[in-house]
Amino acid sequence: MRKYSRKGFTLTELVVVLVILAIIGGIAIPFAMKYMKLAEFRENEANAKTIYLAAESELTWYRTSGKWKDFRKEVVREGKRNDTFDDARKDKLKGRIYAITLGGKESREENAGSGELVLKLLEDNSYDKDFLNASITIELDIETGQVYSAFYATRCDGLSYDGNDDEILNITAAGDNRSYDNRRDRLLGYYSVEDVTNVVELKPVRLKVTAINLVNSETLSLNWSSNSRHDNLDVEFHITFYKKEGDKAKGERLFSTVIDRSELRGKGLGKDGNTMVHLKLEGQEDAGTGKNKDLGEWAFPLTYQETGQNGRFSLVLDGMMSAKLMESLKAETPDTQGVGDDGLALLREYSTSITRYAGLSKAGSEIPELAQLARPQDICAEIKVQPTYRNMDLDAREYHASSPVTSNVENTMFASVAKTEGGSLEAKVTRFRHLSNIRYCGEEAIFRLDSRNMDWTAAGTGLFDLEELNSVGGDVRSVQTIRWKQVNSQEDGKVLDFPSIGVLGK
């Protein structure tokens, strides 16, 4: 018979194990607590940097838009001046640094005073819902209009220059109060203009037009892009058109306009879409007023191809319209929606062709700059990029405006135009748009068909047409739905008819 013995831990062994576990716990738990505390401090440091960059981005826009002076008055009235600098910085910064603070228990609805100013600098940025559930202080240099420093703390009720470090953390600039070790112990995140890394990140960027091309094909289109980092939502483009022989130094321009995608987005310019947008045009300087002549607002087809960084614009100056579109614009019926009942006014405003300017001239217009475009005219475009600082998210970089860039030269109506020995025009026709524009030439000319492969059903051939909107009471054609349609598009299963040109028989 076998005998089994039951063995287990003795009391001494259990005591030894418990002592070992206690020692390990005594060592590990403080390390774990210290690690978690350090992780929270580092997160507060990162959040302080985020606050700094967001506020600096907003202030940059304030400075460039002329709103800084009014905001400065509010800062001086509601903020608290920092007079706690030591001798090394006291003279340099005396009376310049003001703090605006958002307390830890203040919400967006309950906030008032300097906390409201903090929210003004941060409200245009997107954060997690708990991001502002902290104590935040932003120090501003009222002399330069820039952010001097930013604080972010989570385990306190507020920040103050005379805080007791119990419920209110002290952020005085005296001594080592803002040193890394001191702040780490108090979990006080801090980011300052004196940080070398920050100086590098805020290095100004020179804006530039990265591509510009005036394309004379089935449409006369100005195409361009820039080096904006935010898909061209933070800049505006100042575009001026000149005659080829025009002297830009003398200001002999045809017209100029400004394109701001951020503003146009709210007026119909969608993602990757071709939309008629209204642009304000200005002409030559008026000798009487000293201001550029107001040429009114005109609708242009504008396409934007979004890429996520710096997409491409295409502004159409001239393009063929379908017969249906032309008749709809000419018609004086209640079904035509636009800027009144005058069909000719609609045709002139919404036409996709430069011939609309000829219509204005014949109507007794005092806009000779635009009327010139209704004749075969060699033109070029100049573009300059200006910062607007909209839609920059947390990117606080500062821009410098670009130098003006000039496009190639193209003709407004044909492939090219030259004078014959007899003084008449000799125009080249290489596209269907050029063929269509023969009806508008208005003077004796010899037209030379240079392309033997003009195929109406070829890829890329097309014209502007109206889309039909279904509504109660029948179909409604709206000038707001003018779209480019390729002739061989399979969307409606049919080839678009070529617009009839009665003068070709002559």
Side-chain angles (χ1 to χ4, degrees), residues 369-496:
E369 300 96 331
L370 299 185
Q372 291 184 65
L373 288 177
R375 298 193 299 272
Q377 175 73 58
D378 288 337
I379 64 171
C380 63
E382 180 186 86
I383 300 182
K384 185 175 181 180
V385 194
Q386 296 274 14
T388 62
Y389 297 104
R390 301 190 186 99
N391 303 288
M392 294 188 70
D393 297 323
L394 299 181
D395 190 343
R397 69 183 59 242
E398 189 159 0
Y399 285 141
H400 285 171
S402 76
S403 301
V405 179
T406 304
S407 75
N408 53 300
V409 175
E410 291 293 347
N411 195 268
T412 60
M413 296 179 68
F414 303 105
S416 64
V417 169
K419 287 282 188 179
T420 66
E421 293 183 0
S424 62
L425 292 178
E426 186 173 274
K428 290 184 180 181
V429 175
T430 62
R431 297 291 191 274
F432 286 102
R433 178 178 70 87
H434 306 151
L435 185 64
S436 176
N437 281 341
I438 288 176
R439 73 182 94 176
Y440 305 122
C441 187
E443 54 187 302
E444 183 180 349
I446 299 173
F447 300 100
R448 186 181 302 279
L449 187 63
D450 272 13
S451 175
R452 297 181 181 180
N453 299 314
M454 289 174 64
D455 181 0
W456 181 245
T457 62
T461 305
L463 43 70
F464 288 93
D465 200 7
L466 276 176
E467 290 185 344
E468 295 184 359
L469 301 178
N470 295 324
S471 67
V472 178
D475 294 339
V476 177
R477 290 180 172 87
S478 169
V479 293
Q480 301 294 347
T481 59
I482 298 174
R483 298 282 183 176
W484 172 262
K485 291 186 178 181
Q486 291 196 30
V487 170
N488 62 345
S489 173
Q490 301 300 316
E491 291 181 5
D492 51 13
K494 64 179 181 180
V495 175
L496 295 175

Side-chain angles (χ1 to χ4, degrees), residues 256-301:
S256 62
T257 189
V258 177
I259 292 181
D260 184 338
R261 182 174 174 241
S262 181
E263 287 190 352
L264 293 177
R265 230 180 10 168
K267 299 180 181 178
L269 180 60
K271 178 181 178 182
D272 297 332
N274 193 323
T275 306
M276 296 289 283
V277 298
H278 278 79
L279 299 178
K280 182 179 180 181
L281 305 188
E282 292 185 346
Q284 301 280 7
E285 182 177 302
D286 191 303
T289 63
K291 298 181 180 179
N292 294 332
K293 189 183 300 181
D294 184 359
L295 307 184
E297 286 194 355
W298 297 82
F300 289 87

